[in-house]
Amino acid sequence: MESVSVDEGETVPDAPRLRASYALEAEGAWIAQARHFAAEFLGRARTRDGLPVPERVVEITQLVVSELVTNARKYAPGPVRLDLRVFGDAVEVVVHDGNPEAPLPRNADPDRVGQHGLEIVMAVAEALDVRQEAEGKSITARIALSA
């Protein structure tokens, strides 16, 4: 996993207060690395910037990161990038991947094993946005810092 340093966006209007990105490599423990990255990011937001980030928000963010990164690794070719950013009263988890197809939530099925990731993200996120990009898509989940 390649780290891109945390950047404060206070000098640009409408920029996130805090942001950080990781490029997830083709091999390795993506999900564990991404979860760890999210916890460190929110820990820095607490200690360095004094943002009130409840432990519940850290746990929800790690869950969302796990689900979105798992889907990207499973269904998308090429590189995957994870962006985290704090906008106002929320943290945004953004996963960029090489598959242009938008994921579709499946109908509820208590007998289905697995494939509940998007349903989980939709249940815990304040908002979910999927955008097509030049080389794939980005999925953004917004999580309230007061969750």
Side-chain angles (χ1 to χ4, degrees), residues 64 68 90-93 121-130 139-144:
V64 168
L68 294 180
V91 60
E92 291 184 343
V93 175
V121 171
M122 291 172 68
V124 299
E126 187 176 69
L128 185 69
D129 181 56
V130 179
I139 301 176
T140 303
R142 184 175 174 84
I143 302 157

Side-chain angles (χ1 to χ4, degrees), residues 130-144:
V130 179
R131 294 179 189 248
Q132 291 197 330
E133 297 180 338
E135 295 182 14
K137 69 176 169 304
S138 67
I139 301 176
T140 303
R142 184 175 174 84
I143 302 157

Side-chain angles (χ1 to χ4, degrees), residues 36-105:
H36 182 73
F37 172 63
E40 283 185 346
F41 174 77
L42 292 174
R44 284 192 306 267
R46 263 191 209 135
T47 58
R48 193 176 83 183
D49 296 302
L51 289 176
V53 181
E55 192 58 34
R56 175 99 174 116
V57 171
V58 175
E59 292 167 358
I60 291 170
T61 302
Q62 288 183 298
L63 174 62
V64 168
V65 164
S66 291
E67 296 302 334
L68 294 180
V69 168
T70 297
N71 286 349
R73 182 164 190 170
K74 190 172 183 178
Y75 299 112
V80 173
R81 190 176 82 234
L82 169 64
D83 296 332
L84 297 173
R85 49 194 190 203
V86 174
F87 274 104
D89 61 351
V91 60
E92 291 184 343
V93 175
V94 186
V95 175
H96 306 267
D97 67 43
N99 183 350
E101 292 184 38
L104 299 173

